Amino acid sequence: MSDIKPVHVLNGPNLNLLGVREPEIYGRATLADIEALCHEAGARHGVGIVFEQTNHEGVLVDLIQRAGQEACAIVINPAAYTHTSIALLDALKGVDVPAVEVHLSQPAAREPFRAPSYVARAASGSISGFGPMGYALGIEAAVQLARARQNHPVKGK
Ligand code: DQA
């Protein structure tokens, strides 16, 4: 039994296609492989993992709001909504749990429209370019942030 709420790992559009989607960019790991890796990382750090994927922006908003109640921290790969969604930014700002932004690829090294991230404005930090390993790193960071807040509760992230 963990002393801390679970980390919610939230995934945005088209990430359900991992494994077949542009493998030269995203590799061959499937989302199920990444989910398994996240559960392993959670077990190493003594937290449960709730793993979700949706292709719908509003559903991601709902999942962020739920995480605000039920998670100790959020790890989020917002996929293309990273670069477009003020709604996701507002949702992350509206919940009192830390968020870590994760990308498989390195968006800043790709097309110019991938360089800006709305989500980064509400994230404690971002991890990009390490493939699936980024999720494990994100979970480690999220747990550290959550435990630091548990030990020294302060308003803010
Ligand atoms: C991504 C990068 C985004 O620019 C892209 O739209 C994605 C995946 C990544 O994990 O590298 O769908 O978030």
Short mmCIF file of all heavy atoms in Angstrom, two decimals, residues 101-147:
data_model
loop_
_atom_site.label_atom_id
_atom_site.label_comp_id
_atom_site.label_asym_id
_atom_site.label_seq_id
_atom_site.Cartn_x
_atom_site.Cartn_y
_atom_site.Cartn_z
N GLU A 101 5.85 17.42 -18.34
CA GLU A 101 5.56 17.26 -19.77
C GLU A 101 6.58 16.29 -20.37
O GLU A 101 7.78 16.43 -20.13
CB GLU A 101 5.68 18.63 -20.44
CG GLU A 101 5.46 18.64 -21.93
CD GLU A 101 5.74 20.02 -22.55
OE1 GLU A 101 6.33 20.89 -21.86
OE2 GLU A 101 5.37 20.21 -23.72
N VAL A 102 6.08 15.33 -21.13
CA VAL A 102 6.97 14.34 -21.76
C VAL A 102 6.68 14.27 -23.25
O VAL A 102 5.51 14.31 -23.67
CB VAL A 102 6.76 12.94 -21.12
CG1 VAL A 102 7.44 11.85 -21.94
CG2 VAL A 102 7.29 12.91 -19.71
N HIS A 103 7.74 14.19 -24.06
CA HIS A 103 7.62 13.91 -25.49
C HIS A 103 8.62 12.82 -25.86
O HIS A 103 9.77 12.85 -25.38
CB HIS A 103 7.90 15.16 -26.33
CG HIS A 103 6.93 16.26 -26.05
ND1 HIS A 103 5.65 16.25 -26.55
CD2 HIS A 103 7.05 17.38 -25.30
CE1 HIS A 103 5.02 17.32 -26.12
NE2 HIS A 103 5.83 18.02 -25.36
N LEU A 104 8.19 11.93 -26.71
CA LEU A 104 9.09 10.88 -27.20
C LEU A 104 10.20 11.49 -28.05
O LEU A 104 11.37 11.17 -27.91
CB LEU A 104 8.30 9.87 -28.02
CG LEU A 104 7.28 9.05 -27.23
CD1 LEU A 104 6.18 8.54 -28.14
CD2 LEU A 104 7.97 7.91 -26.51
N SER A 105 9.78 12.35 -28.98
CA SER A 105 10.73 13.01 -29.88
C SER A 105 11.19 14.32 -29.24
O SER A 105 10.80 14.64 -28.11
CB SER A 105 10.06 13.27 -31.24
OG SER A 105 9.04 14.25 -31.09
N GLN A 106 12.00 15.03 -29.99
CA GLN A 106 12.49 16.34 -29.52
C GLN A 106 11.79 17.40 -30.39
O GLN A 106 12.31 17.78 -31.46
CB GLN A 106 14.02 16.37 -29.69
CG GLN A 106 14.69 17.69 -29.43
CD GLN A 106 14.61 18.10 -27.99
OE1 GLN A 106 13.53 18.34 -27.47
NE2 GLN A 106 15.74 18.21 -27.34
N PRO A 107 10.61 17.86 -29.97
CA PRO A 107 9.84 18.76 -30.85
C PRO A 107 10.61 20.00 -31.30
O PRO A 107 10.45 20.44 -32.43
CB PRO A 107 8.62 19.13 -30.00
CG PRO A 107 8.48 18.00 -29.04
CD PRO A 107 9.88 17.53 -28.74
N ALA A 108 11.47 20.52 -30.44
CA ALA A 108 12.21 21.75 -30.79
C ALA A 108 13.16 21.54 -31.96
O ALA A 108 13.56 22.51 -32.63
CB ALA A 108 12.98 22.25 -29.58
N ALA A 109 13.51 20.28 -32.24
CA ALA A 109 14.43 19.98 -33.36
C ALA A 109 13.66 19.60 -34.62
O ALA A 109 14.28 19.19 -35.60
CB ALA A 109 15.36 18.85 -32.95
N ARG A 110 12.33 19.73 -34.60
CA ARG A 110 11.52 19.30 -35.74
C ARG A 110 10.93 20.53 -36.46
O ARG A 110 11.59 21.56 -36.53
CB ARG A 110 10.46 18.32 -35.26
CG ARG A 110 11.07 17.04 -34.66
CD ARG A 110 10.03 16.09 -34.10
NE ARG A 110 9.09 15.67 -35.14
CZ ARG A 110 7.95 15.03 -34.88
NH1 ARG A 110 7.62 14.75 -33.61
NH2 ARG A 110 7.14 14.68 -35.86
N GLU A 111 9.73 20.42 -37.00
CA GLU A 111 9.16 21.55 -37.72
C GLU A 111 8.97 22.74 -36.76
O GLU A 111 8.68 22.54 -35.57
CB GLU A 111 7.79 21.18 -38.31
CG GLU A 111 7.80 19.98 -39.24
CD GLU A 111 7.39 18.71 -38.52
OE1 GLU A 111 7.78 18.52 -37.33
OE2 GLU A 111 6.71 17.87 -39.13
N PRO A 112 9.06 23.96 -37.30
CA PRO A 112 8.96 25.13 -36.42
C PRO A 112 7.65 25.19 -35.62
O PRO A 112 7.65 25.66 -34.48
CB PRO A 112 9.05 26.31 -37.40
CG PRO A 112 9.73 25.76 -38.61
CD PRO A 112 9.42 24.30 -38.68
N PHE A 113 6.55 24.66 -36.19
CA PHE A 113 5.28 24.73 -35.45
C PHE A 113 5.26 23.85 -34.22
O PHE A 113 4.37 23.97 -33.38
CB PHE A 113 4.08 24.42 -36.37
CG PHE A 113 4.12 23.07 -37.03
CD1 PHE A 113 3.74 21.92 -36.32
CD2 PHE A 113 4.51 22.93 -38.35
CE1 PHE A 113 3.75 20.67 -36.92
CE2 PHE A 113 4.54 21.67 -38.97
CZ PHE A 113 4.16 20.54 -38.25
N ARG A 114 6.26 22.95 -34.09
CA ARG A 114 6.32 22.12 -32.88
C ARG A 114 7.17 22.75 -31.78
O ARG A 114 7.26 22.21 -30.68
CB ARG A 114 6.90 20.73 -33.21
CG ARG A 114 6.01 19.91 -34.08
CD ARG A 114 6.55 18.50 -34.27
NE ARG A 114 6.02 17.93 -35.49
CZ ARG A 114 4.83 17.32 -35.57
NH1 ARG A 114 4.07 17.18 -34.50
NH2 ARG A 114 4.41 16.86 -36.72
N ALA A 115 7.81 23.85 -32.07
CA ALA A 115 8.70 24.44 -31.06
C ALA A 115 7.93 25.01 -29.86
O ALA A 115 8.31 24.77 -28.72
CB ALA A 115 9.59 25.50 -31.69
N PRO A 116 6.85 25.77 -30.09
CA PRO A 116 6.16 26.32 -28.91
C PRO A 116 5.34 25.26 -28.18
O PRO A 116 4.77 24.36 -28.81
CB PRO A 116 5.24 27.39 -29.50
CG PRO A 116 5.14 27.14 -30.95
CD PRO A 116 6.26 26.23 -31.36
N SER A 117 5.29 25.36 -26.86
CA SER A 117 4.46 24.48 -26.04
C SER A 117 3.65 25.32 -25.07
O SER A 117 4.21 25.98 -24.19
CB SER A 117 5.33 23.50 -25.25
OG SER A 117 4.54 22.84 -24.27
N TYR A 118 2.34 25.30 -25.24
CA TYR A 118 1.47 25.94 -24.23
C TYR A 118 1.58 25.21 -22.89
O TYR A 118 1.61 25.82 -21.83
CB TYR A 118 0.01 25.92 -24.69
CG TYR A 118 -0.33 26.93 -25.74
CD1 TYR A 118 -0.51 26.57 -27.07
CD2 TYR A 118 -0.50 28.27 -25.41
CE1 TYR A 118 -0.83 27.50 -28.04
CE2 TYR A 118 -0.82 29.21 -26.37
CZ TYR A 118 -0.98 28.82 -27.68
OH TYR A 118 -1.29 29.74 -28.64
N VAL A 119 1.65 23.89 -22.99
CA VAL A 119 1.65 23.07 -21.77
C VAL A 119 2.87 23.36 -20.90
O VAL A 119 2.79 23.34 -19.66
CB VAL A 119 1.57 21.57 -22.19
CG1 VAL A 119 1.90 20.66 -21.03
CG2 VAL A 119 0.18 21.28 -22.74
N ALA A 120 4.00 23.66 -21.55
CA ALA A 120 5.23 23.94 -20.78
C ALA A 120 5.03 25.08 -19.80
O ALA A 120 5.69 25.14 -18.75
CB ALA A 120 6.38 24.24 -21.73
N ARG A 121 4.11 25.99 -20.11
CA ARG A 121 3.89 27.15 -19.23
C ARG A 121 3.29 26.74 -17.89
O ARG A 121 3.36 27.50 -16.92
CB ARG A 121 2.99 28.17 -19.91
CG ARG A 121 3.54 28.70 -21.22
CD ARG A 121 2.61 29.74 -21.82
NE ARG A 121 2.71 31.00 -21.09
CZ ARG A 121 3.40 32.05 -21.51
NH1 ARG A 121 4.05 31.99 -22.65
NH2 ARG A 121 3.43 33.14 -20.79
N ALA A 122 2.68 25.54 -17.86
CA ALA A 122 2.06 25.08 -16.61
C ALA A 122 2.80 23.87 -16.02
O ALA A 122 2.41 23.36 -14.97
CB ALA A 122 0.60 24.71 -16.85
N ALA A 123 3.84 23.41 -16.72
CA ALA A 123 4.55 22.21 -16.26
C ALA A 123 5.71 22.59 -15.35
O ALA A 123 6.33 23.65 -15.53
CB ALA A 123 5.08 21.42 -17.46
N SER A 124 6.01 21.71 -14.40
CA SER A 124 7.20 21.92 -13.57
C SER A 124 8.46 21.75 -14.39
O SER A 124 9.49 22.36 -14.11
CB SER A 124 7.21 20.93 -12.41
OG SER A 124 6.09 21.12 -11.60
N GLY A 125 8.40 20.88 -15.41
CA GLY A 125 9.55 20.65 -16.28
C GLY A 125 9.14 19.79 -17.45
O GLY A 125 8.02 19.26 -17.47
N SER A 126 10.04 19.67 -18.40
CA SER A 126 9.74 18.93 -19.63
C SER A 126 10.88 17.98 -19.95
O SER A 126 12.05 18.31 -19.75
CB SER A 126 9.55 19.90 -20.80
OG SER A 126 8.55 20.85 -20.51
N ILE A 127 10.52 16.80 -20.48
CA ILE A 127 11.51 15.79 -20.88
C ILE A 127 11.20 15.39 -22.31
O ILE A 127 10.09 14.92 -22.59
CB ILE A 127 11.43 14.57 -19.94
CG1 ILE A 127 11.77 14.98 -18.52
CG2 ILE A 127 12.36 13.45 -20.43
CD1 ILE A 127 11.42 13.94 -17.47
N SER A 128 12.15 15.61 -23.21
CA SER A 128 11.91 15.37 -24.63
C SER A 128 13.08 14.66 -25.27
O SER A 128 14.24 14.94 -24.92
CB SER A 128 11.73 16.71 -25.38
OG SER A 128 10.63 17.41 -24.88
N GLY A 129 12.79 13.79 -26.23
CA GLY A 129 13.83 13.27 -27.09
C GLY A 129 14.43 11.95 -26.65
O GLY A 129 15.31 11.43 -27.32
N PHE A 130 13.96 11.39 -25.55
CA PHE A 130 14.54 10.15 -25.03
C PHE A 130 13.67 8.93 -25.31
O PHE A 130 13.91 7.86 -24.73
CB PHE A 130 14.78 10.26 -23.53
CG PHE A 130 15.81 11.30 -23.16
CD1 PHE A 130 15.44 12.47 -22.53
CD2 PHE A 130 17.15 11.11 -23.48
CE1 PHE A 130 16.39 13.43 -22.20
CE2 PHE A 130 18.10 12.06 -23.15
CZ PHE A 130 17.72 13.23 -22.52
N GLY A 131 12.66 9.08 -26.18
CA GLY A 131 11.80 7.94 -26.47
C GLY A 131 11.04 7.50 -25.22
O GLY A 131 10.81 8.31 -24.30
N PRO A 132 10.66 6.22 -25.16
CA PRO A 132 9.88 5.73 -24.01
C PRO A 132 10.55 5.99 -22.66
O PRO A 132 9.86 6.16 -21.64
CB PRO A 132 9.77 4.24 -24.30
CG PRO A 132 9.84 4.13 -25.78
CD PRO A 132 10.80 5.20 -26.22
N MET A 133 11.91 6.02 -22.65
CA MET A 133 12.60 6.28 -21.37
C MET A 133 12.14 7.59 -20.73
O MET A 133 12.15 7.74 -19.51
CB MET A 133 14.12 6.35 -21.64
CG MET A 133 14.96 6.37 -20.41
SD MET A 133 16.64 7.03 -20.55
CE MET A 133 17.03 7.15 -22.20
N GLY A 134 11.70 8.54 -21.56
CA GLY A 134 11.22 9.82 -21.03
C GLY A 134 10.06 9.66 -20.06
O GLY A 134 9.92 10.44 -19.11
N TYR A 135 9.24 8.63 -20.28
CA TYR A 135 8.12 8.40 -19.36
C TYR A 135 8.64 7.97 -17.99
O TYR A 135 8.11 8.40 -16.95
CB TYR A 135 7.17 7.35 -19.93
CG TYR A 135 6.24 7.85 -21.01
CD1 TYR A 135 6.69 8.05 -22.31
CD2 TYR A 135 4.90 8.11 -20.74
CE1 TYR A 135 5.85 8.50 -23.30
CE2 TYR A 135 4.04 8.56 -21.73
CZ TYR A 135 4.52 8.76 -23.00
OH TYR A 135 3.67 9.21 -23.99
N ALA A 136 9.65 7.09 -17.99
CA ALA A 136 10.22 6.64 -16.71
C ALA A 136 10.88 7.82 -15.99
O ALA A 136 10.72 7.99 -14.77
CB ALA A 136 11.22 5.53 -16.95
N LEU A 137 11.60 8.64 -16.76
CA LEU A 137 12.23 9.82 -16.15
C LEU A 137 11.15 10.78 -15.63
O LEU A 137 11.30 11.38 -14.56
CB LEU A 137 13.11 10.53 -17.19
CG LEU A 137 14.30 9.73 -17.72
CD1 LEU A 137 14.96 10.47 -18.90
CD2 LEU A 137 15.31 9.48 -16.62
N GLY A 138 10.08 10.91 -16.40
CA GLY A 138 8.98 11.80 -15.99
C GLY A 138 8.33 11.32 -14.70
O GLY A 138 7.99 12.13 -13.83
N ILE A 139 8.15 10.01 -14.59
CA ILE A 139 7.54 9.46 -13.36
C ILE A 139 8.47 9.70 -12.18
O ILE A 139 8.02 10.10 -11.09
CB ILE A 139 7.20 7.97 -13.56
CG1 ILE A 139 6.00 7.86 -14.49
CG2 ILE A 139 6.93 7.29 -12.22
CD1 ILE A 139 5.74 6.46 -15.03
N GLU A 140 9.78 9.49 -12.37
CA GLU A 140 10.72 9.74 -11.28
C GLU A 140 10.63 11.20 -10.83
O GLU A 140 10.55 11.50 -9.64
CB GLU A 140 12.15 9.41 -11.71
CG GLU A 140 13.15 9.68 -10.61
CD GLU A 140 14.56 9.21 -10.93
OE1 GLU A 140 14.77 8.59 -11.99
OE2 GLU A 140 15.44 9.49 -10.10
N ALA A 141 10.63 12.12 -11.80
CA ALA A 141 10.55 13.54 -11.45
C ALA A 141 9.22 13.85 -10.76
O ALA A 141 9.19 14.58 -9.75
CB ALA A 141 10.69 14.38 -12.72
N ALA A 142 8.13 13.28 -11.27
CA ALA A 142 6.81 13.55 -10.70
C ALA A 142 6.74 13.10 -9.25
O ALA A 142 6.21 13.80 -8.38
CB ALA A 142 5.74 12.84 -11.53
N VAL A 143 7.30 11.91 -8.97
CA VAL A 143 7.25 11.38 -7.60
C VAL A 143 8.09 12.26 -6.67
O VAL A 143 7.67 12.56 -5.54
CB VAL A 143 7.72 9.91 -7.57
CG1 VAL A 143 7.87 9.41 -6.14
CG2 VAL A 143 6.75 9.03 -8.35
N GLN A 144 9.25 12.67 -7.15
CA GLN A 144 10.09 13.55 -6.31
C GLN A 144 9.37 14.86 -6.01
O GLN A 144 9.41 15.36 -4.89
CB GLN A 144 11.40 13.83 -7.03
CG GLN A 144 12.19 12.58 -7.32
CD GLN A 144 13.59 12.61 -6.74
OE1 GLN A 144 13.90 13.45 -5.90
NE2 GLN A 144 14.42 11.69 -7.16
N LEU A 145 8.73 15.43 -7.02
CA LEU A 145 7.99 16.68 -6.80
C LEU A 145 6.86 16.46 -5.81
O LEU A 145 6.65 17.28 -4.90
CB LEU A 145 7.42 17.19 -8.13
CG LEU A 145 8.42 17.73 -9.15
CD1 LEU A 145 7.74 17.91 -10.51
CD2 LEU A 145 9.02 19.04 -8.67
N ALA A 146 6.14 15.36 -5.96
CA ALA A 146 5.00 15.09 -5.08
C ALA A 146 5.46 14.86 -3.65
O ALA A 146 4.86 15.36 -2.69
CB ALA A 146 4.22 13.89 -5.60
N ARG A 147 6.56 14.11 -3.50
CA ARG A 147 7.05 13.84 -2.13
C ARG A 147 7.57 15.12 -1.49
O ARG A 147 7.38 15.35 -0.30
CB ARG A 147 8.16 12.78 -2.16
CG ARG A 147 7.65 11.39 -2.48
CD ARG A 147 8.61 10.32 -1.98
NE ARG A 147 8.28 9.00 -2.51
CZ ARG A 147 7.29 8.24 -2.07
NH1 ARG A 147 6.52 8.66 -1.07
NH2 ARG A 147 7.06 7.06 -2.60
#
